[in-house]
Structures are given as structure tokens and as C-alpha cells.
Amino acid sequence: MSIKRVQKKPKLIRLPEGYGPILRPTARETYSLRQQIFELVRATGRIARAKIARTLDISPGSVTALTAELISDGFLREVEETSRETSRGRPPVALELVPDALYVIGVKLSDELHTATLTDFGGNALASASQITTADKKSADELLTETEAIIRKVCKSAKISQKKISAIGVGISGIVNYETGVVAWSPLLEELDTPLGDIFSTYFKTPVCIDNDANVLTLAELWFGAGRALSNFAVITIEHGVGMGFVSDNRLFRGAHSMGLELGHSKVQLDGALCRCGQRGCLEAYLADYALAREASTALITPSSKRQDLNDYLKSLYEMAKLGDQASLKIFKRAGRYLAVALSNIIHLFDPKLIILSGKPMQYEFLYDEEMQIEMRSLALYKSRFDTQIEIQSWGSMVWARGATALALTELTKTIIVEGH
Ligand SMILES: [Zn+2]
């Protein structure tokens, strides 16, 4: 069996300019022509009217009428065509989104570092900001105060007035109902069932969409990364918890209750290790950073007085493993085996084209090396299931906030492009 090498930088196909999912014809069918045209212009970055008509298989007259409408609404504008497809002798004209038509902010709230990115309508990230925070649980009001501070910071950095922000997307760890904006549970919040979406949108006087952090990470790939051209892929995030986002037919899978997929709390062992959720045998209890540290402190002699914080501790464990310390290496290898089990289950359940692994522990290659991938494939049935590619996300810490801007842009597409007409 041949094993595909893990690539640091996902390079699947050459993507066109622009941003947003590149929809397959079947995924477009339910959209109005206005939305289809808008999304095609967005996904290509710059496209001539004739090519829109050919791509969507509609009459040039419809394209002219609908694009005129989108131009007069201030969402599209005419620009010089740069591709070679234009015919000679005619002024080469293409359409693109008007970048300064609208601005959105994406925020990732965490128990370590809040991050925010301000993006224009053209998908350009104009500014980013971060703010160190404490790990203790907070009230909704305290979280609102911290969110306001980072929003003010990113607006100032982009030199854009907060009044010009049309929508805000927020990613937060925990169980979030995307439709209602209610955070059922989050390690950041004191209370259960907090209507954070309502609280934030009332305060900021703008639409605020809230989603699980693994979902916003998946949206970052779907809108701005390798996932743009993929109709079916999964993103696994391993940090304090283990999360998962799944894209099916160019759309984020949300399930019946609009909540995220809880891969971290799927059981891999009956009566197994204790998880943060209070239950036993969850995948997270074997794979998250705290689980690695816990395993290490049980298996290895670690003087408690020299115990550093979690990240430093794992780093030193990794250095020891690299130097050939078998006990340290075993900790990573064991966690890698649990990851192999989880990935083979995902392959069986969802049959994704690509699985993107993300999170700080991905700097420890022992977790996902060839040995892990051999084990993963040996657990998957049938040859057809061997084609799923595994890649490591190489984005920086702003990827979450970037993904959260996609939440805001999705909301705007719904209100101004679809419902506005
Ligand atoms: Zn659990």
C-alpha cells in the first residue's frame, strides 16, 4: 500500500482569484439567478458577462439585466478584463465585487487569545488584532466587553469606523446553535444556554452570527483556502478540545440542531479515560493537549515544582521524543493511534476527499506521521477508501477570525443578495 506524504502546504488545484466556494452546477440549482451570478463573480474574482452566460448556461440578456441591477445596488462594478479570452477590437470589460461596498468583522473568542479580522466585500483582510485573555469562565457581559475591545482595536487598525460594519461573525468553542445564536455550553461562559447572538447583535446594532470554532475554521478553508474547490472535505481541530467541521456539497454540514460535530466526545473506549465533559472514553481524553500532558505526567517522572504551562510542557516532551526518549515518543504515538481510529471512522462515515488537520499540536509530527497514516488506512475498509488525503493546515492564528468573517459574509449574501430582491 502506498502512503501519501503529508504536505505542509495544501496545493490541490490552481484556484481562481476571488473568494468563496466554487460551486458545482448541482449546488447552484436552488439559488436565484441573481445569487448565482453574484456568487460566480465573487468566486472568480473578475469575470466577463459573456463568460457568466456560458458558465451558468443562461441568456446574455438575463446576465445584462441582472448585473445592471447588482451594479446599481452598488455590489458589482465594471473593470478591465485581464484574461486573454476577450475578443479583439471590443473594449474588454469584466465584472468584480465592489470592495468597499461593505465591511465585516470576524472574531474568534478563546480562553487564551481573542483574535479579530476586518474584511471588505472583496474578501480582502484589511486588518487584524489580538488580545490576550484569561482562562477563567466569564459572564456574557464580560465576554461582550472583551469582544467590544477587540472590535474597536481592529476598526482602529483598519481606519474604518465601527458604524460601517455591516455584520459580525463570531467563533467560540463549545456547543453553539448557529440558527438561534444560543451558546448551549462553552468553556468560556459561566452560564448554560446563553443567547449570545441576541446579546451581541442588540449591543452592536448589527447582525451577529455565532458558530462553533471548528465550524469557522472549516469556513476559512471553504471560503479562502484549499477547500474552495472541494465539494466534500473535513477539518479536524486538535487543541484543548477536538473539534470537527464537515463540508458536503459545498456547504457546511450543520445537522438537525444547527450544532457542531462533536468528534472530541465520540467514544473510543468504554469506561475509558476521564474527559473534560465529565464522561469517560471520549476521543478528546486521549488526543487533546491536556490529555497528552496528563498521560506524560502519569508515565514520566516530572517534578511538580518544574512543571511549566501546558504548551511549554508539551514542547519539552516533544524535544525529548525527538532526541530519542522512548517514553516521550510513546505518548505521542499512542495519541496518534487514537487519531488514526478517529480518522478511519470519519472516512467510513463521510468518505471525504480531504481531511485537514489543524491546531497547535500539529507541530508535533509524531501525531500524524506515516505510521499514523498506515494505521488509519489499515482500519479503513476497501481500497476505494484509501484515497482520502490528509493534510496539515499551515495558516497562522488568524485563520479562525478569517473563517468567522465568512459567517458574516454568508449572512450578508442572504440578506442583501437573496432577500433584498
Ligand atoms: Zn467528552
Side-chain angles (χ1 to χ4, degrees), residues 264-265 275 277 282:
H265 302 285
C275 179
C277 71
C282 299

Side-chain angles (χ1 to χ4, degrees), residues 85-265:
E85 279 195 30
T86 47
S87 50
R88 266 182 238 156
R90 289 170 56 197
V93 171
L95 296 166
E96 70 172 17
L97 264 62
V98 179
D100 54 4
L102 295 161
Y103 300 96
V104 301
I105 292 176
V107 178
K108 161 75 191 311
L109 298 173
S110 99
D111 55 6
E112 242 178 305
L113 187 77
H114 298 325
T115 48
T117 294
L118 193 150
T119 299
D120 69 17
F121 200 47
N124 310 297
L126 302 184
S128 294
S130 59
Q131 182 71 48
I132 290 170
T133 182
T134 51
D136 49 317
K137 283 180 180 262
K138 298 176 175 92
S139 69
D141 276 352
E142 285 168 325
L143 208 54
L144 175 66
T145 306
E146 293 188 1
T147 307
E148 199 211 358
I150 197 162
I151 284 178
R152 217 182 309 125
K153 208 168 167 182
V154 76
C155 284
K156 196 177 168 196
S157 170
K159 297 188 179 70
I160 302 279
S161 159
Q162 215 173 304
K163 286 180 193 150
K164 283 192 159 184
I165 304 303
S166 298
I168 298 167
V170 177
I172 187 170
S173 51
I175 302 172
V176 184
N177 186 320
Y178 166 75
E179 287 296 330
T180 61
V182 172
V183 180
W185 171 87
S186 169
L188 275 64
L189 282 165
E190 285 166 353
E191 300 282 325
L192 297 177
D193 299 317
T194 307
L196 211 59
D198 282 351
I199 294 170
F200 278 22
S201 56
T202 305
Y203 184 81
F204 292 114
K205 298 185 181 65
T206 188
V208 176
C209 307
I210 300 197
D211 208 343
N212 168 278
D213 53 1
N215 277 350
V216 301
L217 193 67
T218 308
L219 286 172
E221 288 292 347
L222 179 64
W223 279 65
F224 306 107
R228 287 185 59 212
L230 294 176
S231 60
N232 188 301
F233 68 95
V235 175
I236 311 300
T237 164
I238 305 167
E239 300 257 1
H240 295 312
V242 177
M244 175 177 172
F246 179 63
V247 166
S248 172
D249 215 8
N250 297 110
R251 286 190 183 93
L252 191 66
F253 174 84
R254 293 191 186 278
H257 302 96
S258 300
M259 292 180 176
L261 297 170
E262 296 295 341
L263 178 69
H265 302 285

